[in-house]
Amino acid sequence: MGFDHDASTSGLHLVLGLSLTATTTPSTKPQDHHHHHHHHFCVVKPSPTKPNSPNEPSLTLGLSGDSCHLAKQVPNNSKVYCEDPLDMSRQTSPHSVVSSFSTGRVVKRERDLSFEEVEAEAEAEERVSSRVSDEEEDGTNARKKLRLTKEQSALLEESFKQHSTLNPKQKQALARQLNLRPRQVEVWFQNRRARTKLKQTEVDCEFLKKCCETLTDENRRLKKELQELKALKLAQPLYMPMPAATLTMCPSCERLGGVSDNASNKSPFSMAPKTHFYNPFANPSAAC
DNA sequence: GTTCGCGCAATGATTACGTCA
DNA sequence: TGTGACGTAATCATTGCGCGA
């Protein structure tokens, strides 16, 4: 589903998006808005520096948070302390460090691993190897799902605010900070991007629905007004000066509607609902 | 008040496939 | 043109929570 609001075809110029703060990143990729209880929305334009893929909606989500730093450090230890007793219980579990080792599955894709990363992963695996073997001894091959601690999530969020994508170095550093595997950090970012985009789409959809309702109402009202004016014109065929309040001026070309000198204005009557017209897109009339 | 089963949302992980250098 | 890295989309699986019986 793509929202390509092309002014040339629709007369409207919708470019919708969300932003976490007043500033936006240059990236055109959809970015964070997931935790909107922390942030506010605003309309941003996609950057022309990087074209969207054909399937990508033109609605974009801007990010900010340049002032954010990765200053907060999660203790580089398998135990991360938090207030939540639930989390606490999770954290004390070896599964809070590395997840999918307990699945018994072999992770096929380790595409992003440099030699150092492979080494780091080997170390990580080392840290949990005892747990894995315990499970194997138990005969339980249940897939345990990693639950990130609050601190880990916070740091990931913080990092995501800065960059919605990570280069290998950043990924490696973050993984080290979080005591996770780089692959887990990568997956987290992938999911974060995807769910941000999904949420964004839902928000945009709601917004467009409201816009549509508003325009429908306005259209209905204008049609009614037009009929009234036509009826008035029939009832009073002689020229009557218009009340000034009914004149309308195009905000872009600054011409008075209905009284300009071109040939298209055959009638001195002007549809001028300006006093209560609401244009949700704040655009000049498409007639201009 | 407690427990159990169920539905559901959140989220980590996997897979398939597209794009690009 | 083939390949690897990296992205998204779709999906699966696990977990925790709320709720009614």
Side-chain angles (χ1 to χ4, degrees), chain A residues 71-238:
Chain A
K72 278 186 288 182
Q73 297 277 336
V74 171
N76 193 16
N77 184 313
S78 60
K79 287 190 180 179
V80 183
Y81 300 97
C82 73
E83 316 80 37
D84 187 343
L86 255 179
D87 280 340
M88 184 71 94
S89 67
R90 281 193 226 127
Q91 287 150 5
T92 54
S93 160
H95 291 299
S96 65
V97 180
V98 175
S99 66
S100 58
F101 295 114
S102 60
T103 68
R105 292 192 193 183
V106 176
V107 178
K108 288 180 184 174
R109 196 179 69 162
E110 296 292 350
R111 65 189 183 199
D112 57 323
L113 297 186
S114 64
F115 176 75
E116 293 81 6
E117 287 171 333
V118 170
E119 294 236 305
E121 287 210 13
E123 288 176 17
E125 288 192 24
E126 192 95 33
R127 284 196 288 274
V128 295
S129 59
S130 60
R131 172 67 182 177
V132 172
S133 55
D134 286 347
E135 280 187 359
E136 282 167 353
E137 281 176 13
D138 291 342
T140 58
N141 200 20
R143 172 171 163 172
K144 288 285 181 185
K145 182 176 173 175
L146 164 74
R147 300 295 295 194
L148 297 174
T149 66
K150 284 182 179 177
E151 284 78 6
Q152 286 172 318
S153 293
L155 191 49
L156 284 164
E157 289 289 345
E158 198 73 8
S159 181
F160 189 81
K161 282 184 197 172
Q162 292 186 310
H163 317 279
S164 65
T165 57
L166 293 175
N167 63 37
K169 274 190 175 179
Q170 291 171 320
K171 191 197 307 176
Q172 181 66 29
L174 197 52
R176 207 170 292 143
Q177 259 185 301
L178 295 165
N179 208 18
L180 295 171
R181 288 180 301 136
R183 172 67 183 156
Q184 289 175 302
V185 174
E186 178 185 318
V187 167
W188 187 92
F189 270 74
Q190 283 171 357
N191 285 321
R192 188 71 172 78
R193 284 192 295 269
R195 282 152 189 161
T196 292
K197 189 174 180 180
L198 180 66
K199 194 106 181 178
Q200 173 65 47
T201 302
E202 290 170 3
V203 169
D204 292 336
C205 188
E206 281 306 305
F207 179 72
L208 288 173
K209 274 184 192 170
K210 283 196 172 64
C211 287
C212 183
E213 285 172 17
T214 302
L215 289 172
T216 303
D217 288 348
E218 182 64 17
N219 189 34
R220 198 177 300 124
R221 194 188 61 74
L222 287 171
K223 278 181 178 172
K224 189 182 170 190
E225 193 168 326
L226 178 61
Q227 284 207 328
E228 287 171 4
L229 287 168
K230 279 180 178 172
L232 185 67
K233 187 180 177 184
L234 283 176
Q236 299 174 325
L238 296 176

Side-chain angles (χ1 to χ4, degrees), chain A residues 50-65:
Chain A
K50 206 175 172 185
N52 285 345
S53 70
N55 293 332
E56 206 162 79
S58 63
L59 297 168
T60 60
L61 178 63
L63 257 184
S64 74

